[in-house]
Amino acid sequence: MIITIRKQATSEERAQLIELLCRISGSLHPMATTSVGKREVIALDGSSIDAQAQILLRQQPAVEDLLLIKTPYQLVSRAFQVEQSSITIGADHGCDVVTVGGTTASPVIMAGPCSVENREQILSTARAVKAAGAVALRGGAFKPRTSPYQFRGLGLEGLHMLAEAREETGLPIITEVMEPDMVEAIAEHADVLQIGTRNMQNYPLLLAAGRHSQKRPVLLKRGFAATLDEWLLAAEYIVAAGNPNVILCERGIRSHDPQTRNVLDLTCVPLLHNLTHLPIIVDPSHATGKSELVPIMSRASLAAGAEGLIIEVHEDPAHALSDGRQSITPTQLHGIVGEAEVLARMLSREASLVSVA
Amino acid sequence: MIITIRKQATSEERAQLIELLCRISGSLHPMATTSVGKREVIALDGSSIDAQAQILLRQQPAVEDLLLIKTPYQLVSRAFQVEQSSITIGADHGCDVVTVGGTTASPVIMAGPCSVENREQILSTARAVKAAGAVALRGGAFKPRTSPYQFRGLGLEGLHMLAEAREETGLPIITEVMEPDMVEAIAEHADVLQIGTRNMQNYPLLLAAGRHSQKRPVLLKRGFAATLDEWLLAAEYIVAAGNPNVILCERGIRSHDPQTRNVLDLTCVPLLHNLTHLPIIVDPSHATGKSELVPIMSRASLAAGAEGLIIEVHEDPAHALSDGRQSITPTQLHGIVGEAEVLARMLSREASLVSVA
Amino acid sequence: MIITIRKQATSEERAQLIELLCRISGSLHPMATTSVGKREVIALDGSSIDAQAQILLRQQPAVEDLLLIKTPYQLVSRAFQVEQSSITIGADHGCDVVTVGGTTASPVIMAGPCSVENREQILSTARAVKAAGAVALRGGAFKPRTSPYQFRGLGLEGLHMLAEAREETGLPIITEVMEPDMVEAIAEHADVLQIGTRNMQNYPLLLAAGRHSQKRPVLLKRGFAATLDEWLLAAEYIVAAGNPNVILCERGIRSHDPQTRNVLDLTCVPLLHNLTHLPIIVDPSHATGKSELVPIMSRASLAAGAEGLIIEVHEDPAHALSDGRQSITPTQLHGIVGEAEVLARMLSREASLVSVA
Amino acid sequence: MIITIRKQATSEERAQLIELLCRISGSLHPMATTSVGKREVIALDGSSIDAQAQILLRQQPAVEDLLLIKTPYQLVSRAFQVEQSSITIGADHGCDVVTVGGTTASPVIMAGPCSVENREQILSTARAVKAAGAVALRGGAFKPRTSPYQFRGLGLEGLHMLAEAREETGLPIITEVMEPDMVEAIAEHADVLQIGTRNMQNYPLLLAAGRHSQKRPVLLKRGFAATLDEWLLAAEYIVAAGNPNVILCERGIRSHDPQTRNVLDLTCVPLLHNLTHLPIIVDPSHATGKSELVPIMSRASLAAGAEGLIIEVHEDPAHALSDGRQSITPTQLHGIVGEAEVLARMLSREASLVSVA
């Protein structure tokens, strides 16, 4: 259930509404209002609120509108917002500005190494992916690694190197954040905060990504065994905490077959376009784990309607400190960018959205 | 290991080779030779045959060549045959002739109802899918159903109706076979024998499909929890039994998310192009289970390099006796066919194969 | 829906009922009656039969009783038969008679090699498992193998060796059947027909196992990616076709972790005891794929309430023609049998059933 | 690879060793020593360190011993420590002291509500589970919830209520921690820190649980789609960061069947006993999601060799604020405790460990 607050509502009227809501829903904690676009709303799970209580709520002076939404997620659902969200990247750091989602934008290609390894590597890679046509630079400074004995990234130092690469190339930068406490510090430098597959249900992290002052766009990767409902509820955590700028990223799910690292679930792209207004991009590198599959699965991802791609690129994949097996070269990236443009002209995005709805 | 037999080898030389092979491999049963193209070969699991035994084998007068293949599957592997197989459908029944696979053919769109329900339905649907641009007609006469209380198809009567539809429209027909004993009878009428997902490891059925006299092409669907190795070994059963005409069909695998009936594993398409010379088509209807997802996933399947599609079409999906929820209309099929042609022009098949190898 | 036919109903009254049923349910085929215990019944999917039609059915002179069952499976459901089924093995071949299921029987331990390899091996193993306390002998004569190049069993010759082992030891024999056409021939020799995991949804085979004249008990293994509903519907095929003697066998399901061949799903044992009256046994050999895990998982299976175990035993596991890695020795089997007796005394079967219901 | 440091090694010798190690392994960061029992060790991934480098390392004056371990996890592996770890709970808060693991201890039953709901509830439940025979009290104060609109626990207030319940009953308390920053604060009150299934790969949290000053035992739940290797590497993070007190907890993995919330993987218990010296307990409540299955799966878990159980208990399951469907009553818990004692007498723990090794 989403309640839109009347703009002119007094603070007493608001307090009265919130008190009523807590009583009706049995919540032990005060409800928070959230700003979405120009609206101020309160979202909650309305499944246990009966018809009589709804009438009572509608009569509250603070209430402008009350919308019932059947899914467990509310603010991210397409029932709440019909038009596709359009998210702006890079507005604050004097770099190129990139738009993800909406109905008119071309697919966005983000690229870069798995890890920032040293200053030369990231600067050189940034120039190469820019030349190849990528519009944003990815690079891990804080790396979640399965083993404590693997390289975990250069940390803040790596982040400064990314910022230097942005300054030189104009590419906005995307980097992963793993701890609630680091969100503000990383958001100061990064243009997009990535939340990785292992942290999709790290709720304190989601809340911090929702609440941080800069409201940077968050790239929320799908948990490798998450259902779409769980994923959308994770996005809801961020939006309900105050940050509407969420980009979903499919990166493969676990299966019984060891042939590929994961199974890329491309059907989720049109399904999500039906369920949510948030944009969806695809990471073919982690999904397949094999660089030779990246170009063709990039093509298939865009054909499925993805608003963009995030691809691991390394100038010398054989000597990468992490994920070399799945990294492509800048030359291969150039081919993918070219193909993406052809596909974009051919397959109008609007058509793909309509075909689902 | 694949041993090519010398054309001029005498029957004694052959017998001597086979006796040696049985001794070396510890097999309790005589080995059979198989004709592949113009070659006569013996395929076997060579993993336990050491270097010395290989020398002995090469010295046999019946042996022309001995090829070591590391995968458990042999005849279907790309290591055995580099060029993509091209399979001809419909040559025997005076209908249209269709080619699947190879490097020059356009993607093949096969379509029709889940079940043959009655004469009018199948004739009318055949006309409609022909008009929409499909080049082959699918229709179930013998239906595997999860419950014994569901409609199991019209049987031979349904097969005769399919044949009548072929006669009228010129479309070759594809239908499922479930029992080894029925293979010859169904092959008499059908142009392609479909082996369904639940029967992918029904070995007596695979052998019968390999041995039957007409050598009809076999559409081998992937088991819903099969690995690629298991799938290719199932194809190997058919080819080793004497029928090289196998078309693989991806139709989704089981996952933890109930949003879709199955997870369509499109990455298997380029992977299989790397592992085997057999053509691969995709069934987006069973994979997604939702008709609104079929057009966009058809597009993505072709972008991933699939040699064709098999799609459930019903003129009145709401009243289908089975699988109505996932059936599209002839009008929607027409859109898919048109899009397939555009994609085919844009994405040269050869390029997609090269990008993998 | 299960309709019990009045014993005194005339053939006209029966025909009238069946005609009415076909009309109401929209079935294109005549319905068959099945004998279950002393009752004659017609089972069907009643989900689409409304209240008015039910009244009409109850008024039919041929109808004694009409039972609505909510699950898709009918005859195997515990809603149809509250008391646990008790199935008798070995009554026809002059060997030991064994009871599986019911509320008083001890757990049944079946054991033997994966494959019958030769006469000496099977006779010697039969003596050894008998001495170790097993009450039935398993052994594969017709083997489903993932690769066409693996040993597929000795066939009918192997079956005769099993029969000889039964004659000497008194142990009833269990062997796999893969083809509908072979059911009668194998049932002539075997005391229990095993249907393997890859054939759980091989419907022609299930029907043949239901219809064959000897009505041998069928050991129905769970498909390695089957839901419980699908498994129970497979059992329903056999029972509805006329053979009520079905024993379910859990043998592990596929997962994402390569540590074990499969994941043994022991929770299905109490779940199934709640859903069905059929007995459930466990195969810890195929589930784990590692002989060192078999004893402890045998113990856990019985603690979960399994009515028995089927275990692969080989006198020389290192030299088995198949599945040596998961075969235990007769000595280890002896330990399991001893432990099973202690557990059976401790954990009354009735208690375990009650705790679920 | 695990290098044991000589006790008498000087700080220069240590520095020299660490410098050499960084050079050999290519690590960009200094290596840390860890105390394990009375030994001081350095653990690292030795897979890329060749024989010559090993000789060089052994010659270092700071090196007492160098142990090669083939698995990716080192300190938690049974190759490093053969004897089962025995972990002490509750030593610091003047409450009952409980031992988990080792070879002589009885299985440990921990129980309590999913969430602390209010003071009366937790005090009353604590008394009830104590009376039923449980030896530790579980209760969630900080709750990870799939939806932002669900009850997320009482926070620190809930923790104080748990501490009061400990004071009254003497039961040590177990509660979940979700944020690195909260570890110290929660460790002040709790006797065991639980890390939940969604946080198994939350590496900053694992490191904080390893480094915190009180070194509280950590109950590390298995990720719902984690492999055993990933799980053991997560435990390695905690141990390598300085806290050897880790208890593993199996709680079910995701599967294709919606019948149960998860699939309880009991085979992991003997497998883990083979791979690691850490104790393993089972959570049958989350694994099954159905209270009626908890007693029988508790029995099966202990039969599989689990060192303990953690069970959700509520005095009025129908009105629980979370997880009521899977909570049992104190009376049912009493039955489980009684059965556990009988099983423990019957199945000597030592025997179960030996049977695996």
Side-chain angles (χ1 to χ4, degrees), chain A residues 28-29 43 45 145-149 151-153 179 181 198 201-204 207 225 230 233 236-237 254, chain D residues 28-29 43 45 145-149 151-153 179 181 198 201-204 207 225 230 233 236-237 254:
Chain A
L28 302 173
H29 295 285
D45 177 5
R145 299 307 300 272
T146 306
S147 160
Y149 306 122
F151 172 59
R152 292 185 227 161
E179 297 189 61
D181 253 36
R198 300 176 183 86
Q201 294 188 308
N202 181 339
Y203 300 121
L207 290 174
E230 289 166 341
L233 281 165
E236 183 87 10
Y237 261 94
R254 233 157 223 202
Chain D
L28 302 172
H29 295 286
D45 177 4
R145 300 308 298 273
T146 305
S147 161
Y149 307 121
F151 173 58
R152 292 187 225 159
E179 299 189 60
D181 253 36
R198 299 177 184 86
Q201 293 188 308
N202 181 338
Y203 301 120
L207 290 174
E230 289 166 341
L233 282 165
E236 184 85 11
Y237 261 94
R254 236 160 220 202

Side-chain angles (χ1 to χ4, degrees), chain C residues 282-304:
Chain C
V282 173
D283 174 348
S285 308
H286 284 85
T288 64
K290 294 181 173 172
S291 58
E292 67 271 29
L293 298 172
V294 169
I296 203 154
M297 294 319 291
S298 293
R299 179 199 282 184
S301 301
L302 296 175

Side-chain angles (χ1 to χ4, degrees), chain D residues 307-331:
Chain D
E307 272 94 347
L309 300 169
I310 183 162
I311 297 175
E312 289 196 350
V313 172
H314 200 280
E315 292 187 287
D316 182 8
H319 293 94
L321 287 188
S322 54
D323 280 355
R325 180 66 189 85
Q326 70 197 32
S327 295
I328 62 169
T329 62
T331 308

Side-chain angles (χ1 to χ4, degrees), chain D residues 150-174:
Chain D
Q150 292 170 315
F151 173 58
R152 292 187 225 159
L154 298 179
L156 278 175
E157 201 186 350
L159 201 53
H160 294 142
M161 294 174 188
L162 279 168
E164 193 181 340
R166 172 178 53 207
E167 201 153 335
E168 191 185 315
T169 60
L171 294 174
I173 59 180
I174 301 152

Side-chain angles (χ1 to χ4, degrees), chain A residues 44-67:
Chain A
L44 66 158
D45 177 5
S47 61
S48 64
I49 299 181
D50 62 22
Q52 208 176 352
Q54 287 171 31
I55 292 169
L56 212 62
L57 284 171
R58 280 185 198 278
Q59 290 167 344
Q60 286 291 307
V63 171
E64 181 172 307
D65 188 34
L66 186 150
L67 181 66

Side-chain angles (χ1 to χ4, degrees), chain C residues 208-290:
Chain C
R211 288 174 186 151
H212 76 284
S213 53
Q214 304 95 331
K215 307 297 180 200
R216 295 273 178 257
V218 178
L219 186 77
L220 180 65
K221 289 199 157 187
R222 181 183 188 175
F224 55 70
T227 62
L228 298 193
D229 271 10
E230 288 166 342
W231 191 8
L232 289 170
L233 281 165
E236 183 86 11
Y237 261 94
I238 302 171
V239 177
N243 184 359
N245 303 308
V246 178
I247 302 166
L248 301 170
C249 178
E250 159 67 18
R251 46 76 71 206
I253 52 174
R254 234 159 223 201
S255 89
H256 60 274
D257 194 345
Q259 277 279 359
T260 46
R261 190 163 163 178
N262 294 285
V263 169
L264 181 58
D265 175 17
L266 284 186
T267 312
C268 84
V269 177
L271 267 170
L272 287 171
H273 279 147
N274 210 11
L275 301 172
T276 183
H277 52 84
L278 299 175
I280 302 113
I281 71 169
V282 173
D283 174 348
S285 308
H286 284 85
T288 64
K290 294 181 173 172

